[in-house]
Amino acid sequence: MKLEKRSSGEAAPTASDVGKAPQGSNKPVVVYIMILFIAAFLLMALSFLMHQRSNTQALGELQSSVSAMQEFQASQEKIIQLQDELAQAEKELDQLKEDYARDLQSANEQKEAYLDITAALTDLYCLQQSYSAKDYEGCGEIIDRMEKMGYPLLLSQEAPREGVTPPHERYQQLKDAVESKLAEQGG
């Protein structure tokens, strides 16, 4: 039978034809491979787009974190500045308190000095009135109290106006007059 086929006019297959597939069966494989390449390309494009979207979202979160950190740092700097201002204000307040206490103490000392001067002048007035009333014993008590309190040192040695005896000089005049009157009465 083999001979018959050869003799019928068909050529026998050659060695180069043995490894080749028929031309019509080669097309579906190429189409299949192209479909696989297209599907792989589409999957890669889809993966790239998803990755890009993920990166964009992460970048947005990172930028918001950076913004939050910058706001936090600005807040911290403002807090530090306010703490410095508070410390300065507290120093100023302490200085003002010290100045106030010093001024208050000075005012109190001046007030006490004025009160002492007023008391000395009042006693001088009482001494003069007692002397005018010829109450020499009362005058002696007033002089003793004035000496004990140190009032004669507080009396001014300057006259308040012309023609008026200075308070210190008037005290000495009254003291000398009272001592001489008491000496006359006692002797």
Side-chain angles (χ1 to χ4, degrees):
M1 288 218 181
K2 287 185 179 182
L3 291 177
E4 286 180 19
K5 283 190 179 182
R6 281 188 193 171
S7 61
S8 64
E10 288 185 28
T14 63
S16 63
D17 289 340
V18 174
K20 287 187 178 179
Q23 190 86 10
S25 70
N26 202 10
K27 260 185 172 183
V29 171
V30 171
V31 171
Y32 178 70
I33 290 175
M34 284 180 64
I35 290 173
L36 285 178
F37 273 119
I38 290 172
F41 178 76
L42 289 176
L43 286 174
M44 283 177 29
L46 181 65
S47 172
F48 175 76
L49 290 175
M50 289 175 63
H51 185 66
Q52 192 68 12
R53 182 176 170 219
S54 173
N55 284 348
T56 304
Q57 186 178 10
L59 186 62
E61 290 174 4
L62 186 60
Q63 286 176 340
S64 67
S65 294
V66 168
S67 297
M69 287 299 290
Q70 288 173 342
E71 289 175 13
F72 179 74
Q73 185 177 6
S75 297
Q76 287 291 346
E77 289 172 0
K78 185 70 174 173
I79 289 171
I80 290 170
Q81 179 186 3
L82 290 174
Q83 286 174 341
D84 291 344
E85 290 175 7
L86 178 62
Q88 183 65 28
E90 286 175 347
K91 284 181 184 177
E92 290 175 9
L93 180 63
D94 290 343
Q95 183 63 40
L96 289 173
K97 283 180 181 178
E98 288 175 13
D99 291 347
Y100 174 74
R102 197 171 331 127
D103 291 345
L104 184 62
Q105 182 179 1
S106 175
N108 284 337
E109 289 171 359
Q110 286 179 350
K111 177 184 167 190
E112 288 177 22
Y114 289 133
L115 289 175
D116 288 345
I117 290 170
T118 303
L121 290 173
T122 303
D123 279 353
L124 178 62
Y125 175 76
C126 290
L127 177 61
Q128 191 166 341
Q129 292 298 317
S130 294
Y131 185 79
S132 296
K134 298 183 183 191
D135 179 13
Y136 303 120
E137 289 180 15
C139 288
E141 291 173 9
I142 293 172
I143 290 171
D144 288 343
R145 182 175 65 234
M146 287 181 75
E147 292 288 331
K148 186 190 263 186
M149 297 299 286
Y151 287 165
L153 299 173
L154 298 176
L155 295 172
S156 174
Q157 295 185 5
E158 297 179 16
R161 64 176 183 252
E162 195 173 318
V164 176
T165 306
H168 189 269
E169 188 178 322
R170 184 67 180 144
Y171 170 75
Q172 283 299 330
Q173 290 171 351
L174 289 170
K175 180 180 175 185
D176 293 342
V178 167
E179 286 175 353
S180 69
K181 292 289 184 185
L182 287 176
E184 285 177 13
Q185 286 180 357

